[in-house]
Amino acid sequence: MATRMLGAALATAFMGAAPALAFPDRPITIVLPYSPGSAADAYSRALGEHFTRTMGQNVVVVNRDGGSGVVGMRYVATSPADGHIIGITPMTAVVVQPWMVKGTGTAPENFAPVCGTNENVLGVFVRPDSPIRNLPDLVAEGRKRPLSFGSPGPNSLPQLGMWRVQKATGVEFTHVPFRGDPPHLNELMGGRLDFSAGVVASGSELVNTGRLRLIAVFSEKRHPDFPDVPTAREQGIDALQYSPVGIYAPAGTPEPVLDKLEEACRTGVQDEQFLRVTKQMRVVVNYMSRADFTKLIQSEYRAYGPILRELGVTAD
């Protein structure tokens, strides 16, 4: 009797583990919560192609933009926790937006971080004919007349970078949010904005072809592809804004599934095609393991509560 009960228990346990062991058993969707046409769109699709080659199932990248990443990441968070729907995003929707908007459903507890893929180095762009050559010039001009700037969304990290500039200098700028980087960069080139704050990679081609000029970056170090452009701190303005990008699965995703996704991510950021795209798009690759990326997201989330309160932001 005891032997039969033990056998039944083992069979039940084996049956319960089978879905995780069989992963993936159907196509995988990678949700990018921003609009098409950006650098993030390009490297996400390159990573998706690597996943397709290594995981034995088709992997499709789907854009679900809106709410500075909240729309797409809420969809990921509420999807079945089986690894077949995952998201790739900067940390905005996960560590910033939950402090600013009630009920986003995108706080860290709603996800199982998989890996870090890269850093979205953030920067400030102007038109090539602009008299503004650096951040001190921008601040000085902002004291003389109203200046408007675009960003990839309300409460996005590029916008927060400009908030830091405003906080450090006391100058005020008018923020005009867009859905993703391409729209506001187009508006800047069209003369309908005075400057833009966005992901450097999204505007790299425009800078390289002389259609825009990069005047500052918000990272700890200069962008390796634009070594002549100093950081905000190097220009005497304390406006450090970090933007790590990574892959997230819904909370509760089984460990064996997360292990497979993490391994696909680790090899994916070393894939020749992915590296070719990131080099072309001026994306800074920065792989982080699941454990390290989870710790980073949790610590960044805790840090943004007091930071945003200090900036006078409360949840709506």
Side-chain angles (χ1 to χ4, degrees):
M1 181 68 176
T3 301
R4 287 197 299 272
M5 291 177 63
L6 177 60
L10 289 173
T12 300
F14 179 78
M15 290 174 63
L21 294 175
F23 173 82
D25 59 9
R26 58 187 182 278
I28 295 173
T29 297
I30 299 178
V31 176
L32 175 63
Y34 293 95
S35 58
S38 66
D41 196 58
Y43 66 66
S44 296
R45 293 181 189 283
L47 199 59
E49 290 174 10
H50 173 81
F51 274 44
T52 295
R53 292 192 297 271
T54 60
M55 303 197 76
Q57 291 285 346
N58 287 331
V59 178
V60 179
V61 177
V62 175
N63 301 89
R64 283 180 171 260
D65 65 320
S68 292
V70 167
V71 172
M73 292 309 289
R74 183 189 291 131
Y75 175 77
V76 173
T78 56
S79 295
D82 57 15
H84 290 91
I85 297 178
I86 58 180
I88 181 168
T89 184
M91 65 180 182
T92 310
V94 180
V95 307
V96 177
Q97 288 286 59
W99 292 108
M100 306 183 81
V101 181
K102 293 180 180 178
T104 61
T106 61
E109 65 264 22
N110 298 110
F111 299 102
V114 174
C115 66
T117 56
N118 58 285
E119 178 187 355
N120 269 352
V121 178
L122 310 176
V124 181
F125 302 89
V126 297
R127 288 185 298 279
D129 60 351
S130 171
I132 297 169
R133 312 294 301 185
N134 50 47
L135 277 189
D137 282 356
L138 181 65
V139 171
E141 190 69 16
R143 297 191 195 282
K144 296 177 184 177
R145 63 182 179 92
L147 296 180
S148 63
F149 76 96
S151 85
N155 310 324
S156 61
L157 294 182
Q159 183 199 358
L160 187 53
M162 288 311 305
W163 279 351
R164 293 180 189 273
V165 172
Q166 294 176 117
K167 175 178 170 57
T169 64
V171 72
E172 293 291 333
F173 302 114
T174 300
H175 176 230
V176 184
F178 291 80
R179 285 190 172 187
D181 278 325
H184 70 87
L185 294 176
N186 286 333
E187 290 294 291
L188 173 60
M189 288 189 292
R192 291 174 288 276
L193 295 169
D194 294 297
F195 66 98
S196 275
V199 178
V200 172
S202 295
S204 62
E205 182 182 357
L206 301 175
V207 173
N208 289 333
T209 55
R211 287 175 284 174
L212 288 179
R213 188 167 69 246
L214 181 66
I215 64 171
V217 296
F218 290 127
S219 187
E220 292 180 343
K221 299 179 181 179
R222 299 187 183 196
H223 194 293
D225 293 305
F226 300 100
D228 294 333
V229 180
T231 68
R233 284 183 168 178
E234 287 178 317
Q235 298 184 49
I237 297 176
D238 189 12
L240 173 66
Q241 184 59 59
Y242 185 48
S243 181
V245 178
I247 293 177
Y248 301 78
T253 301
E255 289 291 314
V257 172
L258 294 174
D259 288 341
K260 288 187 177 182
L261 290 170
E262 181 183 15
E263 178 60 14
C265 178
R266 185 188 67 78
T267 58
V269 299
Q270 301 172 15
D271 180 81
E272 289 185 6
Q273 182 174 338
F274 176 80
L275 293 174
R276 185 163 53 250
V277 169
T278 54
K279 182 178 180 180
Q280 178 184 357
M281 302 298 294
R282 305 300 195 269
V283 170
V284 179
V285 178
N286 183 29
Y287 173 76
M288 298 183 71
S289 68
R290 178 153 54 105
D292 289 342
F293 188 55
T294 299
K295 290 177 183 177
L296 173 68
I297 294 304
Q298 291 173 346
S299 65
E300 289 288 299
Y301 176 72
R302 290 191 297 267
Y304 271 98
I307 288 172
L308 294 173
R309 284 194 296 271
E310 184 180 345
L311 293 171
V313 178
T314 56
D316 295 331

